[in-house]
Amino acid sequence: MTAPRTLFRKVWDRHVVVPETAATPAVLYIDLHLVHEVTSPQAFAALRERGLKVRRPDRTLATVDHSVPTAEASWASGLGEMDHAARYQVRTLGENCGRSGVRLFGVNSARRGIVHVIGPEQGATQPGMTIVCGDSHTTTHGAFGALAFGIGTTEVGHVLATQCLLQRLPRTLLVELEGRLGPGVTAKDVILGVIGRIGVDGGTGHVIEFRGEAVSAMSMEERMTLCNMAIEAGARAGMVAPDETTFEYLAGRPMAPQGEAWERAVVEWRELNSDPGAEYDRSVTIDVGALEPQVTWGTDPGMVMPVSGRIPAPAGAGHRKALDYMGLSAGAAIAGQPVQVVFIGSCTNSRLSDLRAAAAVLRGRRVAPGVRAMIVPGSQQVRAAAEAEGLDRVFRDAGAEWHQSGCSLCIAMNGDRAAAGQYVVSTSNRNFEGRQGQGARTLLASPLTAAASAITGKVADPRPLLEEGRRIA
Amino acid sequence: MIEPFTVLSSRTVVLPVDNIDTDQIIPARFLTTTQRDGLGRHLFADWRRDAANRPREDFVLNRPGAEGARILVAGRNFGCGSSREHAPWALLDYGFRAVISTEIADIFRSNALRNGLLPVVIDADSHAWLLAHPGAEIGIDLRDCTVRMAAGREAGFEVEPFARHCLLNGIDPLGWLLSQVPAIQAYEDRAACRA
Ligand code: SF4
């Protein structure tokens, strides 16, 4: 009898090419390498300098997302005003992929989108895989029971050249989420609540496994939101064991196994569960049954509070610095705080279910005067699906902007940005200083809370609006 | 080829802020580059300069005495957030060779090690001493993994043994990884049989 193993350990063990020793880390095989324009050019250049080739172009998939404009006007003008450096970066990725035979969903591809949205959408992301990308939110793919984590550009080069990484075995952290979410409370609120509880470094050095009643009840898109922000708790990766929800999501996706291969894959994937009695280095249990919609008040995702609460008294210099940057006062209610920009998008919350949630609030209502509301789908496919059900009309009729897909205001490097001093309610994942533009102030929240804030022009609890919507319907 | 790292002696610069994320170290608007050099002038861009591009006098790197320092002492959980390797590139290009904290984020630590920027995690007491003595002349010895401060005060630290070996000898780990290609090939052959 082998000792009971965690989900993480099963995936890890299957990918060890050379075991770790005291002197050397393990050589870990990577099944899928996702690539984007910002963190790859120096890696391809390093390979060229050493005369190395991309070992497995067939296990590499590239797209452009970070620096590509999303505004309809930019596209109407043929991306005329796209920043020179960004344009060169995008072109460089095209050349690098062309030369090495890497598949690229480029600027004009209908399958283009945020790298962490398209992997699952195309069925490239599968249970039991090891997946890396030069991007910290690679943790998203862990929702499928993959071991997925972000790496730097030097390691992007390592994977391009060898399809492997040098890795030490990380520790494991079990996050058990008990209870059922109340109406108007989403996976985004859950992960913000978890980070508030364990801290922005609570997962450092660990791979988190999320499980429990609340996780089992989540759709794949919700699980992706959950795992996406595991990195914001400092974790290497977040994982959820695959189940029927996972298989149903993946069945028939273009890059998923088909036919007999699919049947065989599902049999294998069913084994990807933590064995009873498997041990974790740490564990925490959180009851999310009474959780409220969450919103951040500070400059890291751990500075978070229930939307009905009052901004906490600062615990130390870091909190005072954050309040100062945010222009907020301890003791004040967060609901009712005026906002100027609302951003619904990013690899955290830009999938079809997120857009549907936003539309449920915005339908038949108007964005408050003086508020700029941007809806940026996570991929061109999400955009097309949303348009097919008329969500774009709902957004436009409400006075919100409907964009092409991309990272957009999540990282503000494609021309979309908020002005200094503006308050942005954002469905993205980082409220760091300047993340959405120099001096811009980010409040992270769910798509429901963001949409409710767009309507009222102030940070708002979405639940009364949802109630009202139901009464009318 | 990385410059070997054995002993580093320098004054410190102290930035006593917890959770300094890589967006602060190098803001995203400077990431459209396809190069890795020249990023030092954008290090901590929005803390060093105001919106009108004037230096902020109160920021530590703009104060007299900061120039030439090669060791940055920072608050807990340094380098959290984005995986951008531009962060260690910017720190190195500016002139830093080591960062000391009580905790350093995983991806940043790995990126730093790959580039010859030494991430040093020390105990809370020694860290508190460093915070209380900005500009102190200290030594970091990677051979015995010890930070040496004034008056015989010492603190040990740990570095992953392979990364340490590579740093001490100026070895690029990719060379070693490439030497494992036969094992990688065998793994791929086995996987192909399984499929
Ligand atoms: S949407 Fe934001 S967090 Fe996600 S990959 Fe793009 S920039 Fe990174």
Side-chain angles (χ1 to χ4, degrees):
Chain A
M1 258 296 288
T2 51
R5 289 183 302 166
T6 59
L7 162 64
F8 155 73
R9 194 56 199 261
K10 289 182 184 181
V11 180
W12 172 274
D13 285 349
R14 281 194 58 154
H15 291 87
V16 172
V17 174
V18 181
E20 90 177 73
T21 67
T24 52
V27 175
L28 191 73
Y29 197 78
I30 303 304
D31 293 320
L32 176 63
H33 185 195
L34 300 166
V35 171
H36 67 73
E37 75 275 25
V38 177
T39 55
S40 65
Q42 298 88 348
F44 278 106
L47 256 65
R48 266 198 304 281
E49 272 161 35
R50 300 183 63 142
L52 297 167
K53 289 203 312 214
V54 175
R55 181 175 178 83
R56 294 297 298 265
D58 59 321
R59 291 191 174 278
T60 314
L61 179 63
T63 193
V64 289
D65 51 6
H66 284 66
S67 55
V68 178
T70 63
E72 292 283 27
S74 319
W75 284 83
S77 72
L79 299 180
E81 87 261 29
M82 189 173 170
D83 172 76
H84 272 301
R87 186 189 300 278
Y88 182 71
Q89 202 171 46
V90 165
R91 189 174 346 119
T92 301
L93 180 64
E95 287 166 5
N96 283 330
C97 290
R99 263 198 292 263
S100 53
V102 167
R103 182 165 195 185
L104 168 68
F105 294 141
V107 176
N108 294 311
S109 167
R111 297 163 86 177
R112 166 176 72 82
I114 303 173
V115 65
H116 311 307
V117 174
I118 66 161
E121 182 175 86
Q122 296 299 321
T125 298
Q126 293 163 25
M129 279 184 162
T130 43
I131 302 177
V132 298
C133 175
D135 195 287
S136 60
H137 292 100
T138 308
T139 56
T140 312
H141 308 265
F144 292 80
L147 173 60
F149 53 94
I151 56 177
T153 296
T154 299
E155 293 193 325
V156 168
H158 290 185
V159 180
L160 288 174
T162 67
Q163 204 57 35
C164 288
L165 276 177
L166 295 168
Q167 291 285 305
R168 291 281 177 189
L169 185 74
R171 295 187 291 273
T172 50
L173 166 61
L174 174 64
V175 174
E176 186 105 41
L177 299 173
E178 287 180 346
R180 278 174 182 276
L181 298 182
V185 183
T186 69
K188 179 61 161 290
D189 303 303
V190 171
I191 188 62
L192 285 172
V194 168
I195 298 164
R197 169 81 177 272
I198 70 174
V200 289
D201 55 355
T204 302
H206 293 74
V207 170
I208 297 179
E209 180 180 339
F210 295 102
R211 75 172 188 209
E213 186 186 359
V215 181
S216 303
M218 283 182 189
S219 70
M220 284 319 295
E221 297 193 351
E222 293 174 303
R223 293 177 193 179
M224 284 187 247
T225 301
L226 189 68
C227 291
N228 173 272
M229 289 186 71
I231 179 68
E232 306 313 331
R236 280 306 268 146
M239 298 178 87
V240 174
D243 59 11
E244 295 310 317
T245 306
T246 320
F247 310 145
E248 204 177 296
Y249 175 97
L250 279 174
R253 303 242 165 209
M255 298 171 84
Q258 314 284 340
E260 220 179 281
W262 168 263
E263 302 301 329
R264 261 183 291 135
V266 172
V267 170
E268 257 190 52
W269 294 343
R270 283 187 205 285
E271 305 290 308
L272 294 170
N273 262 305
S274 291
D275 296 325
E279 281 181 23
Y280 299 82
D281 294 291
R282 279 168 57 211
S283 66
V284 44
T285 302
I286 300 175
D287 188 342
V288 293
L291 191 76
E292 271 197 48
Q294 303 283 304
V295 56
T296 61
W297 55 266
T299 52
D300 75 45
M303 298 178 182
V304 66
M305 60 188 285
V307 68
S308 69
R310 290 184 179 276
I311 299 169
H319 281 191
R320 277 193 295 276
K321 183 173 186 290
L323 283 174
D324 190 41
Y325 179 86
M326 294 298 290
L328 296 172
S329 313
I334 195 80
Q337 165 64 41
V339 305
Q340 290 77 43
V341 181
V342 167
F343 172 64
I344 296 174
S346 90
C347 56
T348 314
N349 283 124
S350 63
R351 298 176 182 83
L352 191 58
S353 58
D354 299 311
L355 302 187
R356 283 180 182 153
V361 175
L362 291 167
R363 185 170 283 117
R365 297 192 173 100
R366 292 285 303 173
V367 170
V371 174
R372 178 184 186 198
M374 301 167 60
I375 321 268
V376 185
S379 71
Q380 293 307 95
Q381 305 249 296
V382 169
R383 182 177 149 97
E387 291 183 349
E389 38 185 271
L391 301 185
D392 58 322
R393 282 254 56 92
V394 173
F395 299 140
R396 287 201 171 104
D397 289 349
E401 297 171 20
W402 176 239
H403 282 238
Q404 298 282 336
S405 70
C407 296
S408 178
L409 200 60
C410 173
I411 191 163
M413 62 178 293
N414 73 333
D416 297 329
R417 73 172 73 86
Q422 286 190 320
Y423 289 91
V424 189
V425 175
S426 178
T427 67
S428 54
N429 41 54
R430 288 188 172 139
N431 50 344
F432 298 155
E433 286 181 28
R435 174 80 177 186
Q436 298 190 292
Q438 272 176 281
R441 295 152 162 169
T442 303
L443 300 106
L444 301 176
S446 75
L448 289 174
T449 302
S453 304
I455 299 294
T456 54
K458 300 174 173 117
V459 174
D461 187 334
R463 292 173 295 181
L465 287 177
L466 288 170
E467 267 299 306
E468 203 181 290
R470 255 191 295 279
R471 275 205 307 276
I472 294 165
Chain B
M1 179 75 193
I2 300 171
E3 201 185 318
F5 190 121
T6 47
V7 192
L8 174 67
S9 298
S10 165
R11 265 174 303 122
T12 62
V13 164
V14 170
L15 197 48
V17 179
D18 289 346
N19 304 314
I20 295 176
D21 59 79
T22 53
D23 275 85
Q24 306 317 311
I25 300 172
I26 177 92
R29 62 182 183 280
F30 303 115
L31 304 189
T32 48
T33 177
T34 53
Q35 310 291 316
R36 50 172 87 205
D37 37 25
L39 289 167
R41 68 199 142 98
H42 305 309
L43 178 70
F44 293 116
D46 294 340
W47 289 0
R48 261 160 87 191
R49 289 183 293 275
D50 65 16
N53 213 24
R54 284 179 306 246
R56 294 181 198 262
E57 302 297 339
D58 57 343
F59 185 60
V60 63
L61 291 186
N62 293 330
R63 282 188 225 139
E67 211 162 303
R70 312 191 74 193
I71 300 173
L72 179 66
V73 179
R76 186 172 52 88
N77 196 27
F78 184 81
C80 58
S82 157
S83 62
R84 60 190 70 165
E85 201 160 309
H86 310 67
W89 293 339
L91 285 159
L92 281 162
D93 191 53
Y94 185 86
F96 288 114
R97 280 304 310 270
V99 179
I100 304 182
S101 178
T102 48
E103 184 178 31
I104 294 182
D106 289 331
I107 306 178
F108 177 86
R109 189 183 54 233
S110 159
N111 286 341
L113 286 168
R114 302 277 185 239
N115 287 276
L117 176 75
L118 189 67
V120 178
V121 173
I122 56 169
D123 65 279
D125 275 359
S126 307
H127 187 247
W129 187 90
L130 286 170
L131 292 185
H133 296 83
E137 271 295 338
I138 66 167
I140 300 177
D141 194 332
L142 184 59
R143 293 166 306 186
D144 59 1
C145 289
T146 304
V147 179
R148 296 199 162 78
M149 293 158 273
R153 182 182 259 280
E154 289 187 355
F157 62 93
E158 282 180 26
V159 179
E160 193 281 308
F162 184 70
R164 176 169 168 270
H165 168 76
C166 290
L167 279 178
L168 282 172
N169 300 291
I171 295 170
D172 180 352
L174 178 57
W176 188 80
L177 193 49
L178 285 167
S179 75
Q180 303 300 310
V181 161
I184 297 169
Q185 183 65 54
Y187 176 93
E188 286 179 333
D189 293 345
R190 281 200 305 279
C193 290
R194 265 208 317 262

